[in-house]
Amino acid sequence: MEKLDLFDVSIHEKEWKQFRKSASQEELLILGVGVRYRLISKRVISYLSALGILLSVIVGMVLFSCLDMVSAGLIVLVVGYLIFSFLATKFIRYNDSYKQICRSLNKENRATLKNVFKVSAAAAFFDSLVQFIVIWLTIPYQAILMLVGMVAPNFVIAKNGALIAIPKGCDVGNLAAVGEFYASRSLLDDWEQTSYDKSHRYTATVTNDMGCTQDVHSADGINYYYEDGSFAGRSDDNGKTIH
């Protein structure tokens, strides 16, 4: 198999859907080739990741059952499960992107893509079986990401959004630039931004005894605070009057 120089891009599902609607057949074919290459060339990693999930759970539970190995068992179970689940779900995301690209291609280009990097029927069946197993094994992992996404949505998109592979030096449809934004978001930065947006959901203006106005903010539309966090007052009419 000819080696391709690619880089991964993770973006929001909505942005990926919007791109597919306006993308040219050539752009879709380029991305399809990249994703198919990833699925085939890195398939061994998906097998090892599925095995790693099972071993992390089994070894972790065995150690956890020993009174003097509880901490070690917990570390193996949690850390091992999270790492291998992340690696394993990358291939589910690749596969989802590949199917979506195929649906967006015309008949001729779809046939061309399917003939790139051919694999045997037995290998294709085994790949599907492993992915089916991984989907079930990573249900707790997906649930954890959903919870994290409530406070750090952009961080989760970078780790679990729509995943595509783009040739290096080529930014198809500006997807690489979008992916860089999500990749730059750390868990802490995203949490801080979410907290800020939540606390600034409502904004009102108060006037002090000197006649100076100042914006105050609220998360619930009732209790308002100054920018420094000090309490400004309450409102019973969505910020029209604060007392």
Side-chain angles (χ1 to χ4, degrees):
M1 181 188 298
E2 181 182 352
K3 185 177 180 180
L4 300 182
D5 196 8
L6 307 168
F7 65 96
D8 290 341
V9 172
S10 186
I11 61 175
H12 196 289
E13 289 285 352
K14 291 182 179 179
E15 292 166 326
W16 172 232
K17 182 178 180 180
Q18 187 62 40
F19 167 79
R20 297 198 314 274
K21 289 181 178 180
S22 59
S24 67
Q25 288 290 300
E26 180 182 4
E27 289 175 324
L28 290 169
L29 190 57
I30 290 173
L31 295 179
V33 170
V35 172
R36 185 168 175 80
Y37 176 82
R38 283 284 198 247
L39 285 169
I40 296 174
S41 64
K42 303 293 185 180
R43 55 153 48 103
V44 175
I45 297 178
S46 70
Y47 304 158
L48 295 176
S49 298
L51 180 61
I53 294 174
L54 290 172
L55 290 177
S56 296
V57 174
I58 294 172
V59 174
M61 292 301 292
V62 170
L63 293 175
F64 194 76
S65 64
C66 301
L67 295 179
D68 58 341
M69 300 290 286
V70 173
S71 297
L74 187 61
I75 292 174
V76 171
L77 179 61
V78 175
V79 176
Y81 177 79
L82 291 177
I83 291 175
F84 286 115
S85 291
F86 169 71
L87 293 174
T89 51
K90 287 186 70 173
F91 292 87
I92 297 176
R93 295 158 64 199
Y94 282 136
N95 194 54
D96 288 342
S97 297
Y98 178 72
K99 291 178 179 178
Q100 292 162 354
I101 290 171
C102 284
R103 288 195 293 266
S104 300
L105 288 171
N106 57 37
K107 185 177 180 180
E108 180 181 355
N109 285 327
R110 192 180 305 122
T112 299
L113 179 57
K114 290 183 177 180
N115 287 325
V116 175
F117 313 125
K118 286 186 176 181
V119 296
S120 65
F125 172 79
F126 189 71
D127 288 343
S128 298
L129 178 61
V130 172
Q131 288 193 15
F132 177 77
I133 294 173
V134 167
I135 288 174
W136 285 97
L137 290 176
T138 56
I139 288 177
Y141 174 76
Q142 297 293 343
I144 292 172
L145 287 182
M146 288 181 62
L147 293 175
V148 175
M150 296 176 66
V151 295
N154 293 321
F155 173 80
V156 170
I157 290 171
K159 305 303 178 185
N160 204 47
L163 186 60
I164 52 180
I166 299 178
K168 286 188 177 179
C170 176
D171 188 358
V172 180
N174 203 41
L175 294 178
V178 176
E180 286 180 0
F181 164 76
Y182 291 115
S184 67
R185 304 296 297 182
S186 69
L187 180 60
L188 179 60
D189 290 342
D190 220 12
W191 178 80
E192 289 178 344
Q193 183 63 51
T194 300
S195 298
Y196 178 87
D197 292 341
K198 182 178 179 180
S199 65
H200 287 62
R201 184 178 180 184
Y202 300 93
T203 299
T205 302
V206 295
T207 303
N208 60 23
D209 297 336
M210 302 287 293
C212 299
T213 60
Q214 187 174 355
D215 288 340
V216 291
H217 309 280
S218 171
D220 55 13
I222 299 175
N223 299 295
Y224 283 80
Y225 299 84
Y226 293 106
E227 201 63 61
D228 62 3
S230 60
F231 185 66
R234 291 174 54 85
S235 175
D236 299 322
D237 52 10
N238 296 318
K240 293 181 180 178
T241 56
I242 297 176
H243 50 81

